[in-house]
Amino acid sequence: MLVCVACHSELDVSEDRLDCRACGASYPVHPSYIAMRDEREAEREPQTWQAKAQEEREYAEIAERLARAGVERFATHLNFGYVPNGRPQRAVIEPEAHGLNRNSLRLLLEVVGDADLRGRDVVDIGCGRGGNSAALVRYFQPRLLVGLDLCEANIAFCSARNRLPQVSYLVGDAERLPFAEESFEVALNIESAHAYPHRERFYREVCRILRPGGVLLYTELMLAEEARHHLRMLEEAGLLIERDEDMTANVLLSCDENARQRTGQQGIAAVSGTLGVSTGTDSTSTPSAITDIGDFIALPGSRKYEEMRRGERVYRMMKLVKPD
Ligand SMILES: C[S@@+](CC[C@H](N)C(=O)[O-])C[C@H]1O[C@@H](n2cnc3c(N)ncnc32)[C@H](O)[C@@H]1O
């Protein structure tokens, strides 16, 4: 199923590398995961490479701070979460009343809705710290689950924590997926795509790796004026829009709760003082890869939160289908 990200050719496997005979790309095999990025992109597209490097630095820093604060094992989700507000829900499973990361779990169950994942091949693109992948296995029993993320620290964490035989993790780039055509029946993408410099590449890549009839379960915060543009790009990539809902009100409720409990993005709020950036209440002079943690996790009063409240940013939840 793994192919060269640059030319989609088959790879030669040795103990410590995967090599592409067709184009010369080479991918290192670490003891617990494989790094599937084509480093030649750094020369071909330096700006794109730099933007991704910055993204990776931010998440590596978060991973380090969570570990240092001793809360890393609880911090398995990196999303805003979802709180019901009385409107009809899609989730067919109710998470435990007092479980950890409950709002993030609700978000996942809401985007999955009644999609059939049992016995399917599923990829979680931008899997972060693996909480969604683990929950998918627990609640839906896919045949196979692959988690892919740009950030090596996240993948190292996922690989160390999650040792189920049907789950594997890879370092990779959503814009250049290391999978053969029609590898998966379901792709999940939660709050990751805003960071992709060329989102249309990601949409095309997802369509390529999905089997006919396969689905993309997708959530993202976007500027209200951009939403239509994204729908058009998804359609141009070959995906049909089966569901597209505005969940901003539910996400705002979750942000309010996160702020009250200091669990924003599942622990980042709790260690924000140690991130060396201001949350509005904390500030130190330690340099950080993240310029504004309050905005990063959409604390009430932050720019992102207020834009959501005013309807300038919308949280969209979608189900897209690759036609048969
Ligand atoms: C806000 S977190 C969401 C993580 C996870 N989906 C969740 O809900 O907990 C965004 C994740 O996207 C990853 N990411 C950013 N750019 C990426 C790219 N080009 N390819 C793959 N992952 C990427 C980041 O490393 C980060 O782990």
Side-chain angles (χ1 to χ4, degrees), residues 15-88:
E15 209 170 289
D16 60 348
R17 307 205 71 77
L18 302 181
D19 293 301
C20 177
R21 241 183 281 168
C23 77
S26 186
Y27 307 97
V29 176
H30 297 278
S32 57
Y33 61 89
I34 308 173
M36 295 296 299
R37 291 193 69 194
D38 181 7
E39 309 224 328
R40 297 170 301 181
E41 188 185 303
E43 277 163 41
R44 275 199 308 265
E45 296 188 46
Q47 275 185 333
T48 302
W49 186 266
Q50 280 309 320
K52 290 174 187 171
Q54 170 61 19
E55 181 73 8
E56 201 194 337
R57 270 196 297 276
E58 291 180 0
Y59 283 99
E61 179 180 332
I62 287 168
E64 194 192 315
R65 304 287 172 149
L66 289 168
R68 241 192 265 165
V71 296
E72 65 170 351
R73 79 196 161 93
F74 310 112
T76 51
H77 294 76
L78 296 165
N79 56 52
F80 299 124
Y82 169 102
V83 167
N85 63 349
R87 63 185 257 177

Side-chain angles (χ1 to χ4, degrees), residues 195-209:
Y196 311 163
H198 305 281
R199 211 176 307 182
E200 70 289 352
R201 289 183 187 165
F202 162 61
Y203 294 155
R204 283 199 301 267
E205 279 290 84
V206 171
C207 193
R208 180 180 68 76
I209 62 148

Side-chain angles (χ1 to χ4, degrees), residues 37 52 55-56 59-60 76-80 104 107 124-132 148-152 154 172-177 188-197 219 265-266 296:
R37 291 193 69 194
K52 290 174 187 171
E55 181 73 8
E56 201 194 337
Y59 283 99
T76 51
H77 294 76
L78 296 165
N79 56 52
F80 299 124
S104 286
L107 182 77
D124 180 3
I125 301 169
C127 65
R129 295 172 61 82
N132 294 324
L148 174 142
D149 201 279
L150 188 72
C151 176
E152 215 154 326
N154 282 349
D173 181 353
E175 293 183 356
R176 295 171 186 273
L177 294 172
L188 177 74
N189 187 260
I190 294 191
E191 292 180 34
S192 177
H194 61 274
Y196 311 163
T219 78
Q265 300 258 351
Q266 283 54 55
F296 195 77

Side-chain angles (χ1 to χ4, degrees), residues 165-293:
Q166 66 273 51
V167 184
S168 56
Y169 293 98
L170 291 171
V171 174
D173 181 353
E175 293 183 356
R176 295 171 186 273
L177 294 172
F179 310 116
E181 279 176 30
E182 302 186 3
S183 292
F184 296 96
E185 280 133 334
V186 180
L188 177 74
N189 187 260
I190 294 191
E191 292 180 34
S192 177
H194 61 274
Y196 311 163
H198 305 281
R199 211 176 307 182
E200 70 289 352
R201 289 183 187 165
F202 162 61
Y203 294 155
R204 283 199 301 267
E205 279 290 84
V206 171
C207 193
R208 180 180 68 76
I209 62 148
L210 281 177
R211 293 183 195 142
V215 296
L216 166 62
L217 305 169
Y218 177 35
T219 78
E220 192 50 276
L221 182 63
M222 52 184 86
L223 287 173
E225 66 207 32
E226 283 176 1
R228 213 174 311 146
H229 176 55
H230 284 292
L231 293 173
R232 203 171 44 243
M233 279 198 288
L234 284 157
E235 284 176 332
E236 282 168 6
L239 295 164
L240 301 175
I241 298 151
E242 188 175 298
R243 196 177 124 202
D244 169 30
E245 289 173 285
D246 184 341
M247 298 291 181
T248 316
N250 307 86
V251 166
L252 282 169
L253 286 173
S254 181
C255 291
D256 292 341
E257 217 171 87
N258 288 340
R260 277 198 303 275
Q261 300 170 358
R262 300 216 8 113
T263 55
Q265 300 258 351
Q266 283 54 55
I268 302 175
V271 298
S272 56
T274 67
L275 279 166
V277 284
S278 172
T279 60
T281 52
D282 306 307
S283 75
T284 75
S285 55
T286 318
S288 169
I290 306 163
T291 48
D292 185 347
I293 193 71

